[in-house]
């Protein structure tokens, strides 16, 4: 009898243990199955939308030079020559993420030999060989047995659970990057992966991070002279370097303008410092289906970069090459203040009145007057009175004051852009200016500075600016490159 009682007791303990295990495992199994179904559904959506957002490529598609590139992006086909084998892309750490997307640091094997823009028959025949399945020991070698080179790249993609619109936005950005072409002073597209269940956009990696943070890190080694004993910008920075950076940005913007590409958010935070300290304009391919005419009117809601926007952009939400020119003037001011914050004493809700009254920022200390004249030209209230980027580029060349620079060739021609007169304002007192060669860092410019929340200030008055504004969820590449 006692033995039977012990047996029942042991069985009761086992039953309790099994019940507990079942109670724990069952929800996990249900959640795992639900997650599996969700991911499968998202992958199915991506495949369906890939067929819709990438028209069939015939090799004969021509860009209409009279229409803005962004206006044509929905009809642009995907060039299959840019398709890079995903198994030769080694994804690493997530460098950063926005509301809907993320950027990943990666190693691309053999991408240096990929050359998607080379349309020669020889190159077209070689590219498909990279897709051939190889034995594990030869996965990183070309068909002849030579080792592929690993190249560090930045890979942009959407997060899990992305909506159809978000996938379409990334696809539009990819197509714009393909058709805008290649230039030394923009972040260039190296390849893409769209054949599987996700879209991966492979971009150049900028080892030195954003220009804004790069300049702030160099405040202690900056010399307000044209020459320096240090040839390495990491050791010493001078006026000649700043002029060179300005010139390179003007070259990149001249190229984008020639491609009918309006940036809308040109700022030092969106300029990347690449290898050999070459300036690379980033985030020019962002598309939100918002352009309807030659003067692009922003109609969707979103957080706007108020302090970088022109008067017509602030008031009428009109974006064009000339509004980018205004932003370039602000970018110049950032460069010659080594990453200063524009209008640091002006609240965002007072900025439009401040500008409409004819006020502009004062010349940064030690900035050459010829450069400040370019800023003033960029800040003319009437868009037609502002120079174009080719004029700005020429003016920077002419105003290089005959100083040799590693990037600029000296020019002897006279400045061609007329001098403009604009009332200026600066919140610092003359005493502070005299005692401090650079604008002091305010609390929002310390190392913990958050450009997303601090600099991209939301337009404060819906009645003035046309409605409430929310987040666009753009991925800012400057946040995802290089060391802080």
């Amino acid at each position: 009898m006692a033995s039977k009682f012990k047996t029942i007791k042991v069985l009761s303990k086992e039953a309790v243990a099994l019940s507990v295990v079942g109670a724990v495992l069952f929800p996990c199994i249900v959640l795992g199955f639900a997650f599996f179904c969700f991911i499968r559904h998202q992958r199915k959506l991506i495949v369906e939308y890939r067929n819709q957002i990438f028209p069939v490529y015939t090799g004969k598609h021509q860009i209409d030079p009279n229409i803005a590139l962004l206006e044509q992006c929905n009809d642009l086909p995907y060039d299959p020559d840019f398709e890079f084998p995903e198994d030769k892309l080694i994804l690493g750490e997530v460098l950063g993420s926005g509301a809907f997307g993320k950027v990943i640091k990666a190693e691309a094997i053999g991408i240096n030999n990929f050359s998607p823009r080379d349309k020669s028959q020889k190159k077209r025949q070689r590219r498909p060989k990279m897709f051939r399945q190889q034995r594990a020991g030869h996965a990183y070698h070309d068909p002849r047995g030579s080792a592929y080179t690993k190249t560090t790249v930045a890979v942009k993609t959407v997060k899990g659970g992305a909506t159809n619109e978000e996938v379409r936005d990334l696809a539009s950005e990819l197509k714009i990057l393909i058709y805008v072409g290649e230039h030394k002073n923009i972040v260039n597209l190296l390849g893409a992966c769209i054949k599987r269940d996700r879209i991966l956009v492979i971009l150049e990696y900028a080892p030195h991070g954003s220009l804004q943070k790069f300049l702030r890190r160099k405040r202690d080694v900056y010399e307000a002279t044209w020459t320096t004993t240090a040839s390495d910008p990491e050791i010493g920075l001078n006026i000649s370097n700043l002029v060179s950076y300005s010139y390179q940005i003007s070259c990149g913007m001249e190229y984008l303008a020639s491609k009918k590409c309006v940036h809308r958010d040109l700022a030092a935070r969106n300029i990347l410092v690449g290898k050999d300290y070459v300036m690379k304009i980033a985030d020019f391919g962002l598309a939100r289906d918002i352009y309807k005419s030659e003067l692009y009117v922003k109609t969707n809601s979103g957080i706007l970069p108020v302090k970088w926007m022109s008067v017509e952009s602030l008031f009428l939400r009109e974006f064009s090459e000339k509004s980018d020119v205004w932003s370039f003037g602000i970018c110049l001011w950032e460069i010659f203040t080594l990453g200063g914050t524009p209008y640091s004493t002006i609240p965002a809700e007072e900025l439009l009145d401040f500008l409409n009254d004819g006020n502009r920022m004062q010349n940064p200390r030690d900035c050459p007057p010829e450069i400040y004249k370019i800023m003033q030209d960029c800040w003319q209230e009437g868009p037609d009175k502002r120079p174009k980027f080719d004029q700005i580029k020429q003016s920077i060349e002419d105003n290089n004051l005959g100083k040799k620079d590693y990037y600029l060739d000296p020019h002897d021609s006279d400045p061609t852009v007329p001098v403009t007169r604009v009332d200026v304002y600066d919140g610092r007192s003359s005493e502070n200016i005299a005692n401090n060669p650079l604008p002091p860092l305010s609390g929002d410019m310390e190392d913990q500075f958050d450009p997303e929340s601090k600099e991209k200030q939301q337009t404060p008055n819906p009645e003035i600016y046309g409605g409430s504004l929310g987040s666009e969820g753009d991925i800012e590449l400057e946040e995802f490159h290089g060391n802080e």
Side-chain angles (χ1 to χ4, degrees), residues 368-389:
E370 296 86 355
I371 296 295
Y372 182 59
K373 181 181 72 68
I374 296 175
M375 296 184 203
Q376 291 179 304
D377 291 344
C378 292
W379 298 335
Q380 287 294 306
E381 183 173 352
D384 293 338
K385 295 181 180 179
R386 300 171 205 155
K388 293 185 176 181
F389 278 111

Side-chain angles (χ1 to χ4, degrees), residues 369-414:
E370 296 86 355
I371 296 295
Y372 182 59
K373 181 181 72 68
I374 296 175
M375 296 184 203
Q376 291 179 304
D377 291 344
C378 292
W379 298 335
Q380 287 294 306
E381 183 173 352
D384 293 338
K385 295 181 180 179
R386 300 171 205 155
K388 293 185 176 181
F389 278 111
D390 57 348
Q391 294 175 297
I392 293 173
K393 172 186 170 184
Q394 185 63 47
S395 187
I396 295 176
E397 289 180 349
D398 295 340
N399 289 321
N400 199 33
L401 305 183
K403 305 296 181 181
K404 287 186 178 292
D405 184 86
Y406 77 91
Y407 195 91
L408 286 176
D409 293 324
H411 291 261
D412 298 325
S413 56
D414 294 327

Side-chain angles (χ1 to χ4, degrees), residues 129-416:
K129 294 179 180 179
M130 296 186 69
F131 288 89
R132 294 178 181 174
Q133 296 293 328
Q134 296 174 315
R135 299 191 306 274
H138 300 272
Y140 299 155
H141 295 75
D142 63 21
R144 294 173 296 179
S146 301
Y148 281 129
T149 302
K150 291 183 180 181
T151 303
T152 302
V153 297
V155 176
K156 192 171 184 178
T157 187
V158 295
K159 290 182 177 179
T163 65
N164 299 337
E165 182 182 359
E166 290 150 15
V167 174
R168 184 180 292 274
D169 285 343
L170 183 60
S172 295
E173 183 176 352
L174 169 58
K175 291 188 288 184
I176 290 168
L177 289 168
I178 290 174
Y179 287 93
V180 80
E182 198 168 35
H183 191 273
K184 183 176 183 178
N185 297 120
I186 66 175
V187 174
N188 292 296
L189 177 69
L190 303 179
C193 306
I194 71 165
K195 285 190 174 181
R196 297 187 182 177
D197 53 11
R198 57 181 174 176
I199 298 175
L200 302 176
V201 180
I202 308 171
L203 303 166
E204 290 179 318
Y205 178 78
H208 301 291
S210 74
L211 177 60
Q212 179 196 62
K213 294 182 179 179
F214 174 81
L215 292 173
R216 289 177 180 178
R217 293 196 300 266
K218 300 296 174 286
R219 289 188 167 208
D220 292 338
V221 298
Y222 178 71
E223 299 177 11
T225 63
W226 282 93
T227 58
T228 181
T229 56
S231 59
D232 184 357
E234 296 293 339
I235 301 174
L237 203 68
N238 61 16
I239 293 176
S240 183
N241 296 118
L242 302 186
V243 172
S244 170
Y245 301 160
S246 304
Y247 177 78
Q248 294 179 58
I249 297 168
S250 71
C251 289
M253 289 305 299
E254 177 193 28
Y255 178 77
L256 291 178
S258 72
K259 296 294 183 178
K260 299 286 186 178
C261 185
V262 176
H263 194 295
R264 297 179 294 140
D265 193 12
L266 179 61
R269 64 180 174 273
N270 289 329
I271 307 296
L272 303 182
V273 184
K275 184 180 178 182
D276 298 326
Y277 304 97
V278 174
M279 299 297 109
K280 299 276 188 178
I281 300 171
D283 279 351
F284 56 85
L286 298 178
R288 287 292 185 276
D289 222 7
I290 59 177
Y291 298 117
K292 300 300 179 185
S293 64
E294 186 65 23
L295 279 178
Y296 305 122
V297 180
K298 186 173 177 63
T299 57
N300 69 325
S301 61
I303 291 179
L304 304 176
V306 174
K307 292 188 175 183
W308 284 260
M309 292 170 63
S310 65
V311 175
E312 70 273 13
S313 298
L314 282 169
F315 189 69
L316 301 173
R317 298 192 184 184
E318 293 180 347
F319 294 82
S320 66
E321 177 188 354
K322 293 303 183 72
S323 63
D324 279 349
V325 166
W326 178 292
S327 300
F328 177 80
I330 304 294
C331 188
L332 273 183
W333 189 92
E334 290 183 275
I335 291 172
F336 283 89
T337 56
L338 299 185
T341 297
Y343 313 105
S344 59
T345 63
I346 308 297
E349 61 269 16
E350 298 177 12
L351 182 59
L352 186 57
D353 290 337
F354 174 84
L355 296 174
N356 278 334
D357 289 340
N359 299 309
R360 301 292 186 268
M361 289 186 291
Q362 199 172 47
N363 189 12
R365 186 175 179 87
D366 297 320
C367 174
E370 296 86 355
I371 296 295
Y372 182 59
K373 181 181 72 68
I374 296 175
M375 296 184 203
Q376 291 179 304
D377 291 344
C378 292
W379 298 335
Q380 287 294 306
E381 183 173 352
D384 293 338
K385 295 181 180 179
R386 300 171 205 155
K388 293 185 176 181
F389 278 111
D390 57 348
Q391 294 175 297
I392 293 173
K393 172 186 170 184
Q394 185 63 47
S395 187
I396 295 176
E397 289 180 349
D398 295 340
N399 289 321
N400 199 33
L401 305 183
K403 305 296 181 181
K404 287 186 178 292
D405 184 86
Y406 77 91
Y407 195 91
L408 286 176
D409 293 324
H411 291 261
D412 298 325
S413 56
D414 294 327
T416 57

